[in-house]
Amino acid sequence: MTELLENSDRLVQKVQVKFKRYLFELINPNNQLSGIKGARGTGKTTLLLQWLHQLRLPASKAAYFTLDDLYFLSNTLVDTGQDFYQQGGKLLVLDEVHKYPQWAREIKVLYDRYSDLQIIFTGSSIIDISRQEGDLSRRALMYELHGMSYREYLLMNELANPPLLSLNQITQSGESLRGLFPEQFRPLSHFEAYLKFGYYPFANEDLQGYFQRLRQLVRLIVEYDMAEIKGFDIRNARKMLQLLHIIAGQVPFKPNLIKLSEKSGIHRNSIGNYLYFLEEARLVKLLYPSGSSIATLQKPEKIFLNNTNLMFALATEKPSIGAVRETFAYSQLNVAHTVTQPKTTDFEIDNDLKFEIGGSGKGTKQIAGLQNAYIVKDNIEYPVANAIPLWMIGLLY
């Protein structure tokens, strides 16, 4: 226990606190049990350490434990939590819980046993707590940490301090939005760099090797993290990687499941499940037709990679600008909104707004006669009439 507390104190003291992810302000500080899930590389560990740093409490009161520590090979989480509580502990932060067998059951024991012990845990985006033994879904307040928005990229790199905007502001405020930004701000000057290098916070550690690290990250997710998915046979990891690379060369595209099955070697009856697994791992995004009920969501209308950085890292050829634009818009909108595909435009948001994505020369033909419809244009700085700048979709979180 002493070694765990010393390690916690060391990590909390050295964590950078200048830039904090969007989720930092959204976590309820009074909830007894909170969970944060997210894909590898999105900054969950840093977020936890920053949370502890702000409290300025000794490790004996508020501690960070990672459950892939060798300590937990011979010590249980329940016993460790009990010792921590009996010695005066108030806040227990648990990282990488999915790497510890029976994590959900033992967290539930601590939750039920010590009502004044606050627990915050993180796990892979793949975990489904409702399917874990001891079902924490009725007890834990769950959050998801997505990759960085364009706004966060500008903040982290001290390039600008853009405001947080709602979708309603972007669509309704029009040209008045220009007044929210400094006169010298040039919103497009860093946008291309974000599309290639801005989604994962670790890019700045080694920009030259960033794409290689992303490819390694994908392999780790498929070959290691997916073992946590109920129903996924890890022996098929190679086929999953093959499927992902096929998708990377075509996204966004309307899937032909029979052809995908033939090219990847995955049985036709299993291909739908594998696409679902890839989405749970936050490697792809599936877009379904507007008006579909959950019961009919059998086949996606389109398949996207999860974000534009993955497009540049995985594609054998330079991605088309049209595909990059759509992928960016979907990745940003999908964080806090329900996005589907209507018959007339690229996206429908919350069964209301309709967006058609394009370049600066995109016309209004496809939205003519439609209510609450907008052209989302690349290479324009501020809204004009019913045209919204693509980059501004990156200020939603």
Side-chain angles (χ1 to χ4, degrees), residues 245 248-249 311-319:
H245 280 281
M311 294 182 74
F312 286 97
L314 298 180
T316 54
E317 299 180 0
K318 183 179 178 180

Side-chain angles (χ1 to χ4, degrees), residues 1 4 65 71-72 74-87 92 100 106-107 109-110 113-114:
M1 172 68 82
L4 286 179
F65 299 158
Y71 175 90
F72 290 102
S74 54
N75 296 272
T76 69
L77 174 58
V78 167
D79 289 344
T80 304
Q82 176 177 296
D83 290 346
F84 174 72
Y85 178 80
Q86 291 176 345
Q87 292 177 31
L92 188 57
Y100 178 86
E106 296 195 30
I107 286 177
V109 170
L110 294 174
R113 187 177 292 177
Y114 309 113

Side-chain angles (χ1 to χ4, degrees), residues 23-82:
L23 196 58
F24 187 88
E25 302 295 337
L26 301 180
I27 300 173
N28 184 345
N30 301 314
N31 202 56
Q32 184 188 350
L33 181 62
S34 301
I36 302 170
K37 68 177 187 175
R40 279 181 181 260
T42 51
K44 299 187 297 297
T45 298
T46 298
L47 181 70
L48 291 181
L49 294 174
Q50 290 173 332
W51 183 264
L52 289 172
H53 189 277
Q54 73 163 348
L55 298 176
R56 300 192 179 281
L57 293 173
S60 59
K61 298 290 184 182
Y64 164 89
F65 299 158
T66 178
L67 297 193
D68 63 352
D69 192 294
L70 294 176
Y71 175 90
F72 290 102
L73 292 177
S74 54
N75 296 272
T76 69
L77 174 58
V78 167
D79 289 344
T80 304
Q82 176 177 296

Side-chain angles (χ1 to χ4, degrees), residues 19-23 42 145-157 159 162-165 190-191 193-195 197-201 307-309 328 331-333 335 390-397:
F19 167 74
K20 299 181 180 70
R21 294 296 316 280
Y22 74 96
L23 196 58
T42 51
L145 183 62
H146 298 267
M148 290 202 302
S149 65
Y150 184 44
R151 172 179 171 272
E152 289 186 296
Y153 172 77
L154 294 172
L155 286 169
M156 185 181 76
N157 291 285
L159 300 169
L164 179 67
L165 299 179
H190 306 288
F191 190 48
Y194 167 82
L195 294 174
F197 309 110
Y199 192 78
Y200 297 93
N307 60 80
T308 58
N309 289 194
F328 167 75
S331 73
Q332 304 293 290
L333 290 166
V335 169
L390 179 66
W391 70 268
M392 201 169 275
I393 303 298
L395 304 185
L396 294 174
Y397 69 96

Side-chain angles (χ1 to χ4, degrees), residues 241-353:
L241 287 170
Q242 175 70 10
L243 175 62
L244 186 61
H245 280 281
I246 292 169
I247 292 171
Q250 302 179 59
V251 291
F253 73 103
K254 186 167 184 172
N256 182 316
L257 299 187
I258 294 176
K259 288 185 177 180
L260 278 178
S261 174
E262 292 172 352
K263 290 181 178 180
S264 64
I266 298 171
H267 193 277
R268 169 65 180 84
N269 294 340
S270 301
I271 197 76
N273 287 337
Y274 276 60
L275 290 173
Y276 169 79
F277 294 153
L278 285 173
E279 184 172 51
E280 288 297 289
R282 303 302 180 254
L283 293 176
V284 305
K285 283 183 178 294
L286 307 179
L287 181 67
Y288 293 96
S290 298
S292 298
S293 67
I294 294 176
T296 63
L297 298 187
Q298 303 273 335
K299 177 185 174 184
E301 191 69 19
K302 274 188 178 181
I303 302 175
F304 294 77
L305 285 181
N306 179 268
N307 60 80
T308 58
N309 289 194
L310 287 177
M311 294 182 74
F312 286 97
L314 298 180
T316 54
E317 299 180 0
K318 183 179 178 180
S320 73
I321 185 60
V324 172
R325 289 167 181 156
E326 286 189 39
T327 300
F328 167 75
Y330 192 15
S331 73
Q332 304 293 290
L333 290 166
N334 195 230
V335 169
H337 299 276
T338 300
V339 183
T340 55
Q341 183 174 36
K343 293 180 180 180
T344 50
T345 59
D346 289 321
F347 299 118
E348 185 172 54
I349 299 92
D350 298 332
N351 296 315
D352 180 21
L353 299 173

